[in-house]
Amino acid sequence: MNNVSVITMFFLSGFTETVNYRFILFFLSLLCYCIICLVNISLIVTIILDSNLHEPMYILLCAFCMNGLYGTTGLYPKFLWDLLSDVHVISYYGCLIQIQMVYSFACGELSILALMAYDRYMAICQPLKYHSIMSKQRVIRLVCFSWLTTFCIMAINTFLTSRLMLCSPYISRLFCVNWSIVQLACFPEQTAINGIVANITIIIYFLHGAFIFWSYMYIIKTCVNSIENRAKFTQTCVPHLVSLFTFVVTILLDVTNMRLGSKELPQTLQNIVSIEFLVIPPIMNPLMYGFKLTKIRKRICVILKTKVDFDKEDKIPRQNDGVEDFWRAVQTTKTQSSLDPLSQALDTQVAQDSQALAGPITNLCANYGLNRLQRPGDRDLQVKQ
């Protein structure tokens, strides 16, 4: 009982193997986090700003990337700080918040994958009903509902953990894990309800996985006899399946190591297994979807091309100054000659000289990427060779 009152923070003993390489690990982790933020935010902004991408599949992809940012934010800032710190500690309530964020991210990822599987099932197997069932408003409501239920389920698990009496402040991980804290309980009898709720949570999300498997069985069955559906499956479903496979494998490795893993395993290997589901999927998913889905790839290419065109346009006015001065001088000369009847001959001579110089100047402008010469106030005049 006395130990409970003094445990206000936890010691993360998983960092003991990183001391000799902490600067290298810090640089690599910072680079990884920057890439995660860059690719996910780029995809989110692209989908939000382009009205042509306001479709169910892309809305779900946007939610997928948002969830990835949410989960990695629960880990990387504290992880980067601990890599440079000599003492690896986290406050009691900070630990509970990290548990809530990391595990609601993991469960939310599986929920969104289930929604994406249902979307592909409706698009390929029930195309006539697709637009009436998978409307934008309904998809947004489904995403919000999946996030809310996931957050509540994990909040229940976190609350049950917070009521335990703990006898040790040492966690042999790089970050806070719910099951690791449950194992620190002074009285195993108190953890019975934690185990029951944890198993119910596992069953719920196992059913999510079963639903995804069932959906793709029907999709594959439908695509076998249709060339058009096979093309649609290859373009939209393959990235989803790769994301699903990667996420499930990384989560299963972490859960297996946490529940059944041997303490004789090297700490470095345990660290790699425990953190990979927060490294590989958040980087790979947006990159894979960005390159594989045609609309997103084209939109990104348009954005990059527009930026290049703006850079070229910034250079053109500086090169056009001499041309505008030439036409301004011609216009001034014509105005003066029209006011003086005795200057009719000079006006004719200037016109002939202008016509003679037009060809060489046009060739000069062509070398600088200009297609036409413009007089001030007359943009429709085109000089021809």
Side-chain angles (χ1 to χ4, degrees):
M1 288 288 186
N2 293 332
N3 289 337
V4 178
S5 60
V6 298
I7 298 180
T8 58
M9 61 180 58
F10 293 101
F11 294 88
L12 303 173
S13 58
F15 284 94
T16 55
E17 297 294 327
T18 66
V19 175
N20 296 330
Y21 311 100
R22 59 180 181 175
F23 293 109
I24 297 175
L25 291 174
F26 174 82
F27 174 76
L28 294 177
S29 300
L30 180 61
L31 179 63
C32 181
Y33 186 48
C34 290
I35 293 174
I36 289 173
C37 292
L38 176 64
V39 295
N40 282 278
I41 292 175
S42 299
L43 209 57
I44 291 169
V45 172
T46 300
I47 293 172
I48 291 175
L49 295 182
D50 190 350
S51 59
N52 294 323
L53 297 177
H54 294 176
E55 299 176 4
M57 181 174 66
Y58 300 106
I59 293 173
L60 291 171
L61 178 57
C62 183
F64 206 40
C65 294
M66 289 179 178
N67 192 63
L69 287 176
Y70 164 74
T72 52
T73 301
L75 170 72
Y76 279 92
K78 181 66 173 67
F79 179 72
L80 292 170
W81 176 268
D82 285 333
L83 284 174
L84 296 181
S85 177
D86 294 327
V87 181
H88 312 115
V89 297
I90 185 171
S91 67
Y92 181 83
Y93 291 106
C95 188
L96 295 180
I97 292 173
Q98 190 175 62
I99 290 172
Q100 177 69 21
M101 292 184 69
V102 170
Y103 281 90
S104 58
F105 150 75
C107 296
E109 196 94 340
L110 198 55
S111 295
I112 296 174
L113 286 171
L115 289 175
M116 294 174 80
Y118 181 68
D119 174 74
R120 290 301 86 203
Y121 166 76
M122 293 301 302
I124 295 176
C125 301
Q126 304 287 338
L128 299 178
K129 300 179 181 179
Y130 177 73
H131 293 289
S132 61
I133 295 178
M134 299 299 292
S135 63
K136 290 189 291 186
Q137 294 77 11
R138 183 169 294 174
V139 169
I140 293 173
R141 286 198 295 267
L142 287 173
V143 170
C144 293
F145 176 76
S146 67
W147 273 339
L148 181 61
T149 53
T150 296
F151 189 87
C152 291
I153 290 172
M154 293 314 305
I156 293 172
N157 283 270
T158 305
F159 170 75
L160 292 175
T161 300
S162 67
R163 51 183 280 279
L164 297 177
M165 300 178 185
L166 307 179
C167 289
S168 174
Y170 293 95
I171 302 174
S172 59
R173 308 278 291 206
L174 296 172
F175 57 95
C176 290
V177 177
N178 189 55
W179 188 250
S180 296
I181 297 179
V182 170
Q183 290 178 320
L184 299 177
C186 297
F187 306 104
E189 298 80 9
Q190 290 184 330
T191 64
I193 185 65
N194 294 74
I196 293 172
V197 174
N199 289 331
I200 292 174
T201 303
I202 292 173
I203 291 172
I204 290 173
Y205 289 98
F206 175 80
L207 293 176
H208 281 61
F211 174 77
I212 296 172
F213 179 78
W214 172 83
S215 299
Y216 274 97
M217 288 298 98
Y218 271 88
I219 291 173
I220 293 173
K221 182 179 178 181
T222 304
C223 292
V224 169
N225 299 321
S226 173
I227 297 177
E228 180 182 356
N229 285 336
R230 282 202 297 269
K232 189 183 295 186
F233 177 86
T234 302
Q235 182 182 9
T236 61
C237 296
V238 169
H240 180 211
L241 286 175
V242 174
S243 298
L244 176 65
F245 177 78
T246 304
F247 178 74
V248 169
V249 168
T250 54
I251 283 293
L252 285 178
L253 287 174
D254 181 50
V255 172
T256 303
N257 176 60
M258 184 169 50
R259 293 297 186 100
L260 306 175
S262 173
K263 294 183 179 180
E264 297 179 358
L265 288 175
Q267 185 64 49
T268 302
L269 181 60
Q270 293 185 41
N271 290 342
I272 294 174
V273 171
S274 66
I275 204 174
E276 60 184 356
F277 77 97
L278 285 162
V279 176
I280 299 175
I283 290 180
M284 190 187 69
N285 292 338
L287 289 176
M288 182 177 57
Y289 279 103
F291 285 110
K292 185 63 179 174
L293 296 181
T294 305
K295 283 188 177 182
I296 293 180
R297 186 172 65 249
K298 287 182 178 179
R299 182 58 185 165
I300 293 174
C301 292
V302 168
I303 293 173
L304 295 176
K305 183 177 183 299
T306 302
K307 184 179 184 306
V308 173
D309 290 342
F310 277 134
D311 292 340
K312 288 183 178 179
E313 288 178 3
D314 290 340
K315 299 178 182 178
I316 287 176
R318 293 193 295 271
Q319 297 173 355
N320 202 32
D321 290 342
V323 177
E324 291 184 355
D325 291 341
F326 168 77
W327 285 116
R328 189 176 292 107
V330 172
Q331 187 68 27
T332 302
T333 305
K334 283 192 174 186
T335 303
Q336 293 175 351
S337 64
S338 64
L339 297 175
D340 187 2
L342 299 177
S343 302
Q344 295 287 336
L346 289 175
D347 181 70
T348 304
Q349 184 63 37
V350 168
Q352 292 175 353
D353 293 342
S354 300
Q355 187 66 26
L357 290 173
I361 291 178
T362 302
N363 293 334
L364 179 62
C365 293
N367 293 334
Y368 284 93
L370 299 174
N371 295 324
R372 63 181 184 179
L373 300 179
Q374 295 180 348
R375 297 183 184 183
D378 186 9
R379 297 188 177 183
D380 296 329
L381 178 60
Q382 183 174 0
V383 177
K384 300 181 180 179
Q385 294 186 8

